[in-house]
Amino acid sequence: MGYVARWPASDAEPEHVAHITYCALGQGKRAWRMKPMPSPRPLFDLAAILSRPVASVLVCPDEWSMDAAAMLLPDMVATTTAQDPKSPASTDFGPLAGHPVVLAPTVGREGQAWADMMANLLAKAGVRDVKVLDMAGVAGSMGRELSSSDEWGLADAVDGGLAAEALATLMSTDPELIRFHVDERQKRATEVMLHSDTTPMTEESLSLFRSDATGVYKLVERQESGETIREYVRFCSPLTVVAETRDGDGRNWGRLLCVVDRDNIRKEWAMPMEQLAGDGINYRSELLSMGLTIGSARKAREFLHEFISSERPKEKARCVPRTGWHGRAYVSVNETLRPGQDAQERLLLQTTVPPDHPFRMAGDLAAWQDEIARYAIGNSRLGLALSAAFAAPLLYPLDAEGGGFHLRGGSSTGKSTALAVGGSVWGGGGLNGFLRTWRATSNGLEGVAALHCDALLCLDEMGQVDGREAGAIAYMLANGSGKSRAGRTGEARSSASWRVLFLSSGEVGLADKLADDGRGRRAAAGQEVRIVDIPADAGAGFGLFENLHAFGSADAFARHLKSAAARHYGHASRAFLKVVVERFDDIQQEARFLCDRFVRDHCPEGADGQISRVAARFGLIAAAGEIARDAGILPWPEGEAMRAAGVCFNGWLAQRGGIEPAEERDAIARVRHFIELHGASRFELMGAGLEPHPDMRVTHRAGFRAGDAAKGYEYIVLPEVWKADICTGMDVTFVTKTLAQRGFLRVGSDGKAQTKRRLPGFEGPVRCYVIRSSIMGEASH
């Protein structure tokens, strides 16, 4: 953009600086001139700032300090203003927004005044937090004793022999050497505020609210001896309104609040503004839980309410109601991951209360790989659990449907261990780690599902859920939508939505759980496809495991995995998400290729569409495991994830009993069940040689039984019984068609499913359904 040459005007007055400028003169001309650059003027070395978008920037008072900073702090980008450092307002500080910024003032009053002026200009330019390098501390480390009138800075430190290594050592041992900037007025006020809840008003500031490291204060007026006294009254501990939030439709406005608790830990909460409705007790209780202290007087609560309502921070952010993918950005509870060049505004998860979540981190990735992940090699169920954890964030890139995998088996087979291992990819801590429980209503699990959107959800012990809720939960989790509800005035409210992949465990499967309510209900085909039932026992004699990896017993192996999962968790998902965010298109293409390959290799030819849907979900898991392996996150040999998913898919297919549609199996099973239950009590014997026993009475007759043991019996069902009793709850036409196609239903000469028969007690031929006894032989298969 141009050049500036500056130099001391004379040896007698080195503080006076002369300069000339080479820049645009208008009409396409550029030349040297004795005037400054036109405003807004660029920062020095702007190209370096723009080429390092996440680097810390050290702002110096002049070029001499900037040259010294480049030698002493090479990891930072050093810059200064393009004109007289005492009047930097004409400089464009916009490029520093988004960078961590550190000021390097000289020691003394002039340096403090420059730092205060710079901090104010940077805040106007959108720089969130400004820190300052304590040059007095640097001087002290070099044995220099300075007074407030001394002007001593980085250039003097280099002249005094300070080396980059010595400064780096000093910074590592003194965390206060770089700290948040506090202006001169705040410094003067702090001494009083530390010991008092009020600060006398001065003419220097007329803002309604003031805040510093000691808390937030409001300007109030009171009468004393006929005079109006203005003073600042403290009403809460440090609280900052960092940004205004709203969703993509310009609704759901909120405030990003930052609380600093008594342990000096910063905590953020994107709070919806609707929380300010009413007396505000709900949001105050959440802020208190986060560590905010509020004055006990009623006025303190009113001041807090007014402060949050009236603050207008310069920063704005987009809020979202759930975690997971939003475009190419992934929003988690704690952070938002975006591609490196994405400069759009900040994305935040906004909730009515700070979420209680298990997405915590502990231990480290290398230990997790060594103590947990490598032991999944040769263990198909563990491999499935880990691969499923990485598959959850791939639902969106592949536009895949959600669903779950249910490990079903007896007690102490290792089901919960598999869930603990899979959950360790995403988080843990607390008594139950990352595991949630099935013991909830479908309404209660809506919020849990939204919090686990595009992440893994682990639900332990299906046996604890009410049988009437199990089917509804299966549909709800997989379909990704909660109940539609009405507001107070009857208007439709937005329902919760999510994409979730979940792991489940239990001693019973979904079909068994649905039958718990005593109504004889069966799992619908859609439910069985949404929750894939996998035998937990791997068949190797070690319960869930096939390879104990030199552990003495399956119990010892399980205890080791659970213990390791309680110490190392949360790192693997972050590492995987960073890869997916940065390589979104490549990962999408690779995952699709691997998924399709799995389906081609494992889905039987001629299988029903339900089989291919489940195969595609297993393929997604296999693809995720292979991608995590290629990224160096899973320490597995190539093809291990494919092998584990294939073993589990074959186990599911074997226990399913065939590749035909589940609805056809259910239809046959329903008719067979009725005959098994009522074959003797509700079917009247008919024909020669089939005289009933004198004590046998047929009540609630369903039809007749004809034939003999040699040639086989036929069960003749009356039409209304067929519809109302046998096919109740099912599509009558579908059941009839299925049995006819399988040869279990005798078709009439006219090709219709009903045949005409002369039956005892009826005057003429009656249309009825004739079921062959061969349907009972199907049960053995």
Side-chain angles (χ1 to χ4, degrees):
M1 296 183 69
Y3 299 91
V4 175
R6 294 213 291 259
W7 63 91
S10 67
D11 293 338
E13 297 179 303
E15 68 276 8
H16 292 164
V17 177
H19 66 270
I20 58 175
T21 306
Y22 182 86
C23 62
L25 302 178
Q27 298 181 349
K29 297 181 180 180
R30 297 167 65 86
W32 289 97
R33 64 180 186 176
M34 298 297 292
K35 296 180 180 180
M37 284 187 178
S39 299
R41 297 168 187 145
L43 289 161
F44 266 67
D45 209 2
L46 179 60
I49 297 172
L50 297 177
S51 65
R52 299 173 61 184
V54 296
S56 295
V57 177
L58 188 70
V59 181
C60 304
D62 49 47
E63 291 87 343
W64 293 274
S65 299
M66 193 178 79
D67 290 342
M71 291 185 286
L72 293 174
L73 297 162
D75 291 338
M76 296 184 182
V77 179
T79 188
T80 187
T81 56
Q83 193 54 33
D84 184 354
K86 294 183 179 180
S87 56
S90 59
T91 300
D92 178 14
F93 293 104
L96 297 184
H99 285 268
V101 175
V102 180
L103 302 176
T106 57
V107 177
R109 295 190 184 93
E110 291 292 330
Q112 177 68 44
W114 174 83
D116 293 347
M117 180 170 50
M118 290 297 301
N120 182 52
L121 293 171
L122 290 168
K124 291 179 180 179
V127 179
R128 291 183 57 200
D129 293 310
V130 178
K131 295 185 178 180
V132 63
L133 176 63
D134 181 11
M135 290 307 302
V138 175
S141 71
M142 299 175 65
R144 296 290 302 270
E145 295 184 5
L146 302 173
S147 66
S148 60
S149 60
D150 291 328
E151 294 293 325
W152 191 90
L154 284 175
D156 302 295
V158 170
D159 292 341
L162 180 64
E165 294 79 5
L167 182 57
T169 301
L170 179 62
M171 291 171 64
S172 65
T173 56
D174 183 4
E176 290 296 310
L177 197 68
I178 295 180
R179 57 178 180 268
F180 285 103
H181 173 262
V182 180
D183 66 30
E184 183 63 30
R185 285 179 296 176
Q186 290 173 326
K187 287 182 177 179
R188 291 200 304 269
T190 298
E191 292 301 318
V192 178
M193 293 177 182
L194 286 172
H195 307 289
S196 172
D197 279 350
T198 62
T199 301
M201 175 60 192
T202 68
E203 296 300 325
E204 293 180 313
S205 174
L206 295 174
S207 59
L208 182 60
F209 292 99
R210 291 180 60 183
S211 61
D212 57 29
T214 64
V216 187
Y217 299 76
K218 184 185 178 183
L219 177 63
V220 299
E221 294 184 355
R222 61 182 176 85
Q223 298 295 319
E224 185 175 306
S225 302
E227 294 185 4
T228 300
I229 306 297
R230 292 179 294 174
E231 61 187 11
Y232 279 110
V233 177
R234 182 179 184 273
F235 58 87
C236 73
S237 60
L239 173 68
T240 306
V241 181
V242 178
E244 286 188 300
T245 64
R246 74 278 189 233
D247 64 20
D249 297 325
R251 295 177 56 83
N252 296 314
W253 283 80
R255 298 285 188 272
L256 176 59
L257 305 179
C258 178
V259 172
V260 181
D261 66 17
R262 287 181 291 279
D263 292 328
N264 204 33
I265 298 174
R266 297 166 60 87
K267 303 171 184 175
E268 289 188 343
W269 172 30
M271 182 197 78
M273 286 298 287
E274 64 187 30
Q275 291 291 92
L276 295 176
D279 61 3
I281 186 172
N282 292 329
Y283 83 82
R284 287 198 304 274
S285 65
E286 296 303 331
L287 290 174
L288 289 169
S289 177
M290 293 170 66
L292 186 75
T293 57
I294 307 172
S296 57
R298 177 177 59 85
K299 283 290 186 183
R301 297 192 292 272
E302 294 176 356
F303 291 166
L304 174 65
H305 202 91
E306 184 181 1
F307 172 68
I308 296 175
S309 300
S310 62
E311 281 291 279
R312 292 293 182 270
K314 291 182 174 60
E315 182 180 355
K316 281 193 169 75
R318 290 287 176 191
C319 64
V320 294
R322 57 167 177 77
T323 59
W325 291 103
H326 296 271
R328 295 296 178 91
Y330 188 95
V331 179
S332 69
V333 176
N334 301 313
E335 62 180 333
T336 297
L337 298 174
R338 312 181 85 148
Q341 302 302 318
D342 191 343
Q344 297 182 30
E345 64 184 347
R346 191 175 178 189
L347 272 175
L348 298 168
L349 176 66
Q350 183 164 289
T351 55
T352 54
V353 298
D356 178 21
H357 64 88
F359 294 93
R360 295 177 284 265
M361 298 174 69
D364 59 71
L365 179 60
W368 177 85
Q369 293 171 326
D370 185 61
E371 297 185 33
I372 299 175
R374 72 182 180 94
Y375 288 121
I377 298 174
N379 285 301
S380 59
R381 274 61 173 175
L382 292 181
L384 179 84
L386 285 173
S387 296
F390 294 107
L394 296 184
L395 291 173
Y396 169 69
L398 270 65
D399 194 23
E401 63 178 359
F405 297 87
H406 179 68
L407 293 172
R408 174 183 47 80
S411 176
S412 301
T413 55
K415 305 182 300 297
S416 296
T417 302
L419 266 62
V421 166
S424 69
V425 171
W426 286 92
L431 292 177
N432 298 317
F434 195 75
L435 272 62
R436 300 277 186 164
T437 177
W438 271 98
R439 190 175 182 181
T441 63
S442 56
N443 291 344
L445 280 175
E446 283 189 22
V448 174
L451 192 62
H452 287 73
C453 181
D454 292 326
L456 182 69
L457 173 62
C458 294
L459 296 173
D460 200 17
E461 291 302 336
M462 181 182 280
Q464 294 181 348
V465 70
D466 190 311
R468 292 170 295 181
E469 291 279 354
I473 291 173
Y475 272 122
M476 181 194 73
L477 291 178
N479 289 343
S481 180
K483 287 184 179 179
S484 297
R485 296 178 174 86
R488 293 180 179 177
T489 60
E491 79 283 0
R493 293 171 54 190
S494 299
S495 57
S497 61
W498 55 81
R499 280 179 302 268
V500 71
L501 194 67
F502 60 95
L503 287 176
S504 168
S505 71
E507 296 181 21
V508 297
L510 178 63
D512 301 321
K513 178 48 64 175
L514 289 176
D516 277 354
D517 63 358
R519 300 177 186 177
R521 294 193 302 164
R522 298 176 60 88
Q527 292 168 322
E528 292 182 339
V529 168
R530 285 163 173 79
I531 299 185
V532 179
D533 211 1
I534 303 171
D537 194 327
F542 306 120
L544 183 104
F545 312 115
E546 293 122 301
N547 185 347
L548 297 184
H549 290 277
F551 282 85
S553 66
D555 179 63
F557 189 30
R559 282 189 281 108
H560 164 80
L561 291 173
K562 283 187 174 181
S563 174
R567 289 180 283 110
H568 307 287
Y569 49 81
H571 296 277
S573 62
R574 272 69 168 185
F576 186 72
L577 286 171
K578 289 177 181 177
V579 173
V580 179
V581 166
E582 293 297 335
R583 299 180 52 233
F584 188 93
D585 292 330
D586 293 340
I587 295 295
Q588 183 184 55
Q589 184 175 356
E590 183 180 354
R592 213 168 256 136
F593 170 78
L594 292 171
C595 184
D596 291 344
R597 191 179 81 183
F598 181 91
V599 174
R600 286 196 307 270
D601 292 345
H602 293 85
C603 188
E605 186 176 353
D608 180 68
Q610 296 169 0
I611 307 293
S612 60
R613 280 178 64 187
V614 173
R617 190 176 309 145
F618 275 100
L620 172 65
I621 284 182
E626 294 297 331
I627 292 171
R629 175 214 168 264
D630 292 342
I633 301 170
L634 283 175
W636 294 355
E638 185 176 358
E640 180 63 25
M642 285 281 188
R643 186 200 68 81
V647 170
C648 293
F649 174 75
N650 291 333
W652 168 79
L653 195 58
Q655 64 92 34
R656 184 182 188 272
I659 62 174
E660 73 280 355
E663 291 89 347
E664 292 185 8
R665 292 188 297 113
D666 291 345
I668 296 169
R670 173 69 64 88
V671 177
R672 183 189 304 128
H673 174 73
F674 188 88
I675 295 174
E676 289 175 346
L677 197 64
H678 306 294
S681 62
R682 297 187 63 181
F683 287 90
E684 183 179 335
L685 294 174
M686 183 185 81
L690 291 177
E691 297 298 329
H693 190 278
D695 295 331
M696 182 183 295
R697 295 182 60 189
V698 174
T699 58
H700 303 291
R701 183 177 63 188
F704 301 86
R705 180 161 59 114
D708 56 45
K711 296 180 180 180
Y713 292 98
E714 289 182 337
Y715 294 89
I716 303 167
V717 183
L718 299 173
E720 294 305 319
V721 175
W722 178 258
K723 296 175 183 178
D725 288 22
I726 297 182
C727 297
T728 179
M730 301 187 76
D731 186 331
V732 176
T733 303
F734 177 80
V735 175
T736 305
K737 183 179 178 181
T738 298
L739 266 65
Q741 289 176 340
R742 294 295 188 90
F744 299 141
L745 185 71
R746 185 182 295 279
V747 180
S749 58
D750 55 0
K752 294 183 178 180
Q754 293 179 340
T755 60
K756 286 186 177 182
R757 287 287 184 95
R758 289 189 175 275
L759 303 176
F762 294 88
E763 292 183 0
V766 177
R767 282 198 170 272
C768 52
Y769 295 89
V770 180
I771 304 171
R772 292 188 172 101
S773 60
S774 57
I775 194 173
M776 307 308 294
E778 179 79 2
S780 63
H781 302 293

